[in-house]
Amino acid sequence: MNPYVLATLLSSLGLGTTLTFASSHWLLAWMGLEINTLAIVPLMAQHHHPRAVEATTKYFLVQATAAAVILFASTTNAWVTGEWNMSNMSDPVATTMILAALSLKIGLAPVHFWMPEVLQGLDLLTGLILSTWQKLAPFALIIQTSQTFDPLLLTALGLTSTLVGGWGGLNQTQLRETLAYSSIAHMGWMIIVLQHAPHLTFLALLVYILMTSAAFLTLKLSYATKIGTLATTWSKSPLLTSTAALMLLSLGGLPPLTGFMPKWLILQELASQGLPLTATIMALAALISLYFYLRLCYAMTLTISPNTITSTTPWRAQTNQASTPLALFTVAALGLLPMTPTVMMLVI
């Protein structure tokens, strides 16, 4: 892709997200979401592969539907209340429609079906943008309007997403689909605590972005898209394989890694709010997710590829890809747990 075109598209992505962040008016927020969607569509379709075009078409249709519902719901709310401000969401029908549309945008269960299909059709860098940056603008709107949503509906969405994300990832052999279900499960953790402690939702989103960025950059550096190819990575780069296994365990939420921090704080918050059953179900759902992360770790570190290769196997082959971002994200995804008190002071 032409570097000028790429710079324009990435600037538009930033502009759309910033516009949604800064707005308290529904029309401006909707405009930011639309700019975001239109900027990422050329990036998704740049390889001119039938699967990429199919993924782009699915993504565009889903996002356009969600944006249309947001526009309709905000217009309905403005009709009832007389203003477009986000802080005045007194119409329950419009509020529920906006929550449904934003859930569709970020891929919450039960409106998650597009997410694995779309992510599977993209290359790893565009998939990284879709899994991280594209979540920011809808989440800004969700956090801004969180107090107007029905608490029971938020709890149901959070539990469903965590269970579906864990259950759906069990039988996957494609790494991008596995990461898509991982994303759905993490979204559930963020939504479940939204009504009680929005700052924990923000913290969980930041930690999720760090861990997912590290995961996608690791897969890109090792050219791995299927579980089978993970078995050959140890011979090419043993150190990368070791950090990748730890980073997957961090995604699963095992202590003493960074991924344990948001899960620990969210479970603590749910218990202190008098919701021990919800906290127990969330913890058990995290175990289901942990199984498929362990499966990836097993394939990567404890198995040897069964294929007999006649050519010379590349031994620790040199790569010309930039590895500095991967190093930074990996350190953040593995070692931030001891800094939990500092992080909590910054977030609250």
Side-chain angles (χ1 to χ4, degrees):
M1 185 178 275
N2 187 308
Y4 297 111
V5 174
L6 184 62
T8 306
L9 292 175
L10 292 177
S11 304
S12 301
L13 267 179
L15 172 68
T17 306
T18 310
L19 193 61
T20 307
F21 278 176
S23 61
S24 58
H25 191 287
W26 274 114
L27 271 183
L28 274 177
W30 172 80
M31 199 181 301
L33 292 172
E34 285 297 279
I35 292 171
N36 234 351
T37 302
L38 292 174
I40 200 173
V41 162
L43 291 173
M44 295 169 80
Q46 64 179 317
H47 294 294
H48 305 295
H49 189 275
R51 186 171 284 174
V53 173
E54 181 190 339
T56 309
T57 309
K58 286 177 180 175
Y59 181 76
F60 178 75
L61 290 174
V62 166
Q63 298 297 312
T65 305
V69 173
I70 289 171
L71 189 59
F72 177 69
S74 53
T75 309
T76 307
N77 187 67
W79 188 287
V80 172
T81 61
E83 58 180 77
W84 288 87
N85 204 319
M86 286 181 196
S87 58
N88 189 6
M89 294 289 296
S90 53
D91 185 34
V93 177
T95 308
T96 307
M97 286 174 69
I98 281 177
L99 179 57
L102 291 171
S103 301
L104 181 61
K105 271 200 168 287
I106 61 174
L108 272 176
V111 282
H112 66 283
F113 294 100
W114 63 271
M115 181 83 182
E117 299 288 326
V118 168
L119 208 57
Q120 179 57 28
L122 304 178
D123 66 302
L124 288 165
L125 267 186
T126 316
L128 169 61
I129 296 172
L130 180 67
S131 299
T132 55
W133 186 263
Q134 292 298 92
K135 308 281 188 196
L136 292 176
F139 251 107
L141 297 181
I142 289 174
I143 292 173
Q144 240 175 312
T145 53
S146 61
Q147 299 310 313
T148 60
F149 297 139
D150 180 14
L152 190 63
L153 186 57
L154 285 174
T155 306
L157 280 172
L159 286 173
T160 310
S161 296
T162 316
L163 288 166
V164 165
W167 205 260
L170 290 179
N171 202 29
Q172 299 301 327
T173 57
Q174 299 288 334
L175 296 176
R176 283 166 292 187
E177 289 199 8
T178 306
L179 286 171
Y181 281 108
S182 162
S183 171
I184 294 163
H186 279 91
M187 294 298 119
W189 279 90
M190 294 170 213
I191 288 295
I192 198 83
V193 80
L194 180 64
Q195 56 200 316
H196 307 298
H199 63 275
L200 287 184
T201 298
F202 180 63
L203 173 65
L205 180 62
L206 287 182
V207 172
Y208 160 77
I209 286 172
L210 289 175
M211 294 187 299
T212 306
S213 302
F216 271 99
L217 291 172
T218 302
L219 296 180
K220 183 176 181 294
L221 201 67
S222 53
Y223 301 102
T225 53
K226 296 191 289 290
I227 288 184
T229 49
L230 287 179
T232 61
T233 55
W234 68 272
S235 62
K236 295 178 184 176
S237 48
L239 185 61
L240 182 68
T241 307
S242 307
T243 54
L246 286 172
M247 184 259 310
L248 286 169
L249 294 177
S250 182
L251 267 171
L254 280 187
L257 304 168
T258 306
F260 178 61
M261 184 206 301
K263 286 187 168 61
W264 166 36
L265 294 171
I266 288 169
L267 289 176
Q268 188 179 4
E269 181 66 29
L270 289 174
S272 67
Q273 292 288 342
L275 298 166
L277 183 62
T278 308
T280 306
I281 295 171
M282 293 297 286
L284 291 174
L287 286 178
I288 304 174
S289 298
L290 183 61
Y291 173 79
F292 65 76
Y293 294 124
L294 285 171
R295 186 162 160 249
L296 294 181
C297 289
Y298 175 77
M300 187 181 278
T301 56
L302 297 173
T303 57
I304 298 175
S305 177
N307 303 325
T308 307
I309 305 169
T310 53
S311 60
T312 308
T313 307
W315 184 260
R316 305 191 189 187
Q318 294 296 316
T319 177
N320 55 3
Q321 296 185 57
S323 55
T324 309
L326 171 61
L328 294 174
F329 280 121
T330 303
V331 168
L334 297 183
L336 288 186
L337 186 64
M339 296 176 64
T340 303
T342 312
V343 172
M344 287 301 293
M345 284 179 63
L346 293 172
V347 169
I348 294 176

